[in-house]
């Protein structure tokens, strides 16, 4: 189980995250929503290790992660994707995933002289299939449409066989149908026991997907509950949801 305990992260005078506590259990799919600048990505960075908390703790399966580097957290099963997809643009789609697979197998596989080995090909293909990218296997990552790049980043995160998956706007830039199929995959992963925490601005990627919704506003948790309850919360509607939620069509 992930436990975020009284998390605070300041950047100079900016209180990006200001005393946030929540849990995510195995098999749970939790959405962290809120306006731009609310602190969602900073929360992710504190959980995955790109930033250290100013105060508070990140506990995963009973272990305090606060001081661990991202790679060490990955070895504990904590993987993330970024709001702006991070992939190796000089490599093909398949090669990107092969690298991620090799990183799991062990650092021996990655050297300047032996960047990609045959052993990682099959598991990498399986991940491309899982994320619907197999037809793009040989395309350069540089020329990928944005949505495909997001899916590639997810495939790379899955290469680590994560138990906690943090997805920063996984469906941003995807067309509605693509978004639905991606969120279905995310839901399947949770069904297999992965703890999933994700951010999204598209409410169709939250309604019917998230088991629980956390609303972050100005670095503080303003509300939490089912999407149904959140979307009826007048304060949340005023400060964030507004026109995103249409009465009667909000809980598909
Ligand atoms: P969200 O993901 O909800 O849009 P962020 O976590 O990206 O929000 O940002 C929260 C606040 O922290 C914003 O005011 C942002 O400008 C600030 N912030 C985020 N990262 C940094 C950073 N590395 N340095 C300084 N300020 C930052
Ligand atoms: Mg963000």
């Amino acid at each position: 189980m992930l436990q975020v305990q009284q998390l605070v992260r300041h950047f100079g005078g900016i209180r990006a995250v200001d005393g946030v506590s929540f849990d995510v259990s195995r098999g749970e799919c939790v959405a962290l929503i809120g306006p731009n600048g609310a602190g969602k990505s900073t929360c992710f960075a504190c959980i995955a290790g790109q930033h250290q908390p100013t105060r508070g703790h990140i506990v995963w399966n009973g272990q305090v992660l606060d001081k661990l580097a991202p790679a060490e957290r990955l070895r504990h099963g904590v993987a993330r994707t970024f709001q702006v997809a991070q992939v190796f643009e000089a490599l093909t789609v398949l090669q990107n995933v092969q690298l991620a697979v090799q990183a799991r197998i062990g650092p021996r596989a990655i050297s300047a002289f032996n960047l990609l080995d045959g052993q990682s090909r099959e598991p990498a293909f399986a991940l491309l299939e899982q994320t619907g990218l197999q037809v793009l296997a040989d395309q350069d990552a540089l020329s990928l449409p944005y949505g495909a790049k997001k899916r590639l980043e997810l495939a790379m995160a899955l290469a680590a066989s994560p138990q906690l998956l943090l997805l920063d706007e996984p469906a941003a830039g995807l067309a509605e149908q693509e978004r639905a199929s991606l969120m279905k995959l995310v839901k399947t992963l949770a069904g297999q026991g992965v703890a999933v925490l994700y951010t999204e601005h598209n409410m169709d990627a939250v309604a019917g997907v998230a088991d629980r919704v956390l609303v972050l506003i100005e670095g503080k948790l303003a509300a939490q509950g089912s999407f149904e309850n959140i979307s009826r919360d007048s304060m949340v509607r005023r400060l964030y949801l507004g026109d995103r939620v249409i009465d009667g069509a909000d809980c598909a």
Side-chain angles (χ1 to χ4, degrees):
M1 183 206 266
L2 169 69
Q3 295 168 292
V4 174
Q5 301 176 339
Q6 288 299 319
L7 180 65
V8 174
R9 173 68 207 204
H10 294 172
F11 295 107
I14 300 171
R15 297 172 171 202
V17 178
D18 198 11
V20 166
S21 300
F22 62 86
D23 296 345
V24 183
S25 300
R26 279 174 56 88
E28 220 186 354
C29 190
V30 176
L32 181 64
I33 66 171
N36 282 326
K40 305 180 295 296
S41 293
T42 304
C43 253
F44 275 33
C46 290
I47 299 169
Q50 286 76 33
H51 290 317
Q52 290 210 346
T54 303
R55 282 197 297 280
H57 302 288
I58 305 298
V59 181
W60 169 240
N61 290 339
Q63 187 178 359
V64 178
L65 299 185
D66 301 349
K67 296 273 188 300
L68 297 187
E72 292 172 288
R73 297 186 200 205
L74 192 60
R75 281 196 283 281
H76 283 90
V78 178
R80 76 166 290 188
T81 65
F82 290 82
Q83 186 170 343
V84 177
Q86 314 263 304
V87 301
F88 299 103
E89 296 196 324
L91 301 179
T92 67
V93 168
L94 178 63
Q95 288 170 336
N96 265 279
V97 182
Q98 275 185 273
L99 266 193
V101 169
Q102 287 173 203
R104 177 189 62 192
I105 297 169
R108 121 204 112 65
I110 301 176
S111 83
F113 303 103
N114 179 26
L115 195 58
L116 299 164
D117 62 17
Q119 214 190 331
S120 60
R121 242 184 112 83
E122 221 171 290
F125 252 125
L127 288 161
L128 291 186
E129 229 165 62
Q130 193 180 5
T131 48
L133 285 170
Q134 63 275 45
V135 292
L136 299 174
D138 294 324
Q139 191 165 324
D140 288 337
L142 177 66
S143 58
L144 280 185
Y146 188 68
K149 219 178 253 185
K150 298 287 290 186
R151 279 189 285 154
L152 173 55
E153 207 198 13
L154 175 61
M156 292 169 75
L158 292 179
S161 304
Q163 293 157 14
L164 171 60
L165 189 55
L166 307 160
L167 305 171
D168 202 345
E169 303 194 16
L174 299 191
E176 199 177 326
Q177 240 177 358
E178 257 192 318
R179 190 156 69 232
S181 87
L182 186 100
M183 294 321 294
K184 200 172 151 197
L185 169 60
V186 168
K187 197 74 183 151
T188 304
L189 294 167
Q192 292 165 353
V194 177
V196 179
L197 179 67
Y198 72 104
T199 68
E200 254 312 312
H201 286 296
N202 291 291
M203 288 307 120
D204 62 3
V206 177
V209 178
D211 300 311
R212 194 151 52 86
V213 181
L214 310 170
V215 186
L216 195 64
I217 293 177
E218 293 183 356
K220 293 188 163 73
L221 267 192
Q224 60 176 309
S226 67
F227 180 75
E228 210 173 353
N229 287 340
I230 291 296
S231 58
R232 289 198 190 112
D233 185 306
S234 57
M235 191 251 299
V236 175
R237 289 183 84 110
R238 182 166 48 82
L239 294 177
Y240 177 57
L241 284 179
D243 296 337
R244 279 169 215 276
V245 181
I246 302 149
D247 278 322
D250 54 0
C251 301

